[in-house]
Amino acid sequence: MDILILGGAGQVGTELQAYPWPEGVRVHAPDRASLDITDEATLAAALDERSYAAVINPAAYTAVDKAESDVAAAWRLNALAPAILAAETRKRSIPLVHVSTDYVFDGSDEDFYAPDAPVNPTSVYGASKAAGEMAVRATNPRHAIVRTAWVVSPHRGNFVKTMLRLAGERDRLTVVDDQHGCPTSAADLAAALATIALRLAGDEDAPTGTFHCVNDGATTWCGFARAIVAGAAKRGGRAIPVEGIPTSAYPTPAKRPANSRLSTQSLTDAYGIAPRPWEAALDDILDRLVGPVRSN
């Protein structure tokens, strides 16, 4: 069985390649330089190279603030590419697992967002991802759209690595404390995507639609930063104070949702996937980046 992974060099793509796939499953994970998924002819040729059982697409334009001025590039990768991908996979009867984002919501709700909650993006990035979802939904009926949020890992640039670097350079940190969300391990997300893809590949009646996958629990960016610094300190890092500030004190080109908390209940109901707490996932990442907890 062959499975195509797009965006193979990203956080999720890297973890998908490291995932312990069942015997007989071969994964192919070209990076953006070797496969332009915004080019219809190139993508069609790649899909014709093998008889793919499923395609997983975590590839995206994720520079949220840059997207506000680089609008065409964001829409090309986040909206046009999924539209092409959905059309080409449907032609070949290939199920598509497409990764999306919490930014499709405006963050005004006070509860965890269910997958069927109305979308209302407030940034170019969010709007382009919402358009990509719409294209997948309208074009390939055998799809699973998996929204996630606050993805971190030992790979590439992400919040955990940034906080560890800053904690080594500064005597205190100031981090936004009024944006709420669910930290997500790229490894845990990859495991969920693999489970969904394998089920869709082997079962014509596998659940389709839109799901949310984040680690269990929620915090703020400040709370997350404090957990990172505290966890690193247990492993020999510097213990420095982390001060909470309002979003208004840290203006950015793109508006962030005040509430990015996502409900994973439908994922559990459909696929039996019950994500573990984000704190446990963070411990695994810190073990790899900093080292094991030191005994006193």
Side-chain angles (χ1 to χ4, degrees):
M1 177 189 294
D2 292 284
I3 293 179
L4 178 61
I5 298 166
L6 303 173
Q11 291 190 80
V12 181
T14 299
E15 293 292 356
L16 278 166
Q17 293 181 74
Y19 180 75
W21 294 89
E23 185 176 354
V25 175
R26 296 169 297 276
V27 296
H28 309 269
D31 60 21
R32 195 175 301 175
S34 56
L35 176 58
D36 181 3
I37 62 173
T38 67
D39 183 271
E40 184 175 353
T42 300
L43 182 58
L47 290 172
D48 285 337
E49 287 179 359
R50 296 175 179 86
S51 180
Y52 286 109
V55 173
I56 304 175
N57 181 36
Y61 184 110
T62 57
V64 174
D65 288 323
K66 188 178 178 182
E68 292 297 305
S69 56
D70 198 11
V71 178
W75 275 79
R76 184 173 176 81
L77 191 54
N78 292 346
L80 175 63
I84 295 171
L85 183 59
E88 294 300 324
T89 51
R90 181 180 182 178
K91 287 178 185 177
R92 295 160 179 80
S93 300
I94 303 172
L96 173 61
V97 182
H98 177 69
V99 179
S100 192
T101 175
D102 57 304
Y103 276 74
V104 301
F105 299 118
D106 62 18
S108 62
D109 281 13
E110 296 183 357
D111 203 352
F112 284 69
Y113 279 96
D116 60 355
V119 301
N120 185 34
T122 59
S123 65
V124 170
Y125 169 68
S128 65
K129 291 295 290 182
E133 286 187 12
M134 187 180 300
V136 170
R137 220 173 267 123
T139 309
N140 187 341
R142 296 202 64 218
H143 72 264
I145 295 168
V146 182
R147 296 191 187 118
T148 192
W150 295 24
V151 177
V152 292
S153 73
H155 319 293
R156 302 290 295 271
N158 61 73
F159 188 75
V160 171
K161 295 179 75 174
T162 298
M163 291 301 103
L164 291 175
R165 175 178 59 80
L166 293 177
E169 299 171 352
R170 302 179 183 179
D171 293 328
R172 73 182 184 96
L173 300 178
T174 56
V175 183
V176 169
D177 201 22
D178 55 1
Q179 294 174 22
H180 300 260
C182 307
T184 306
S185 159
D188 291 358
L189 174 58
L193 297 173
T195 298
I196 294 168
L198 289 170
R199 179 87 174 274
L200 286 169
D203 181 2
E204 288 285 340
D205 297 321
T208 58
T210 304
F211 307 94
H212 291 165
C213 182
V214 291
N215 280 115
D216 190 45
T219 186
T220 65
W221 285 116
C222 182
F224 194 15
R226 285 171 177 157
I228 293 165
V229 171
K234 293 178 182 178
R235 295 164 170 82
R238 298 176 69 218
I240 63 170
V242 181
E243 176 186 345
I245 59 173
T247 296
S248 58
Y250 188 73
T252 56
K255 183 179 179 181
R256 267 65 174 172
N259 175 26
S260 286
R261 298 176 300 163
L262 304 179
S263 170
T264 60
Q265 187 58 53
S266 65
L267 181 69
T268 303
D269 293 343
Y271 284 95
I273 299 170
R276 62 179 170 159
W278 66 263
E279 295 92 340
L282 174 61
D283 278 338
D284 282 355
I285 295 170
L286 291 176
D287 284 346
R288 294 174 65 180
L289 287 174
V290 184
V293 173
R294 296 186 180 184
S295 57
N296 296 327

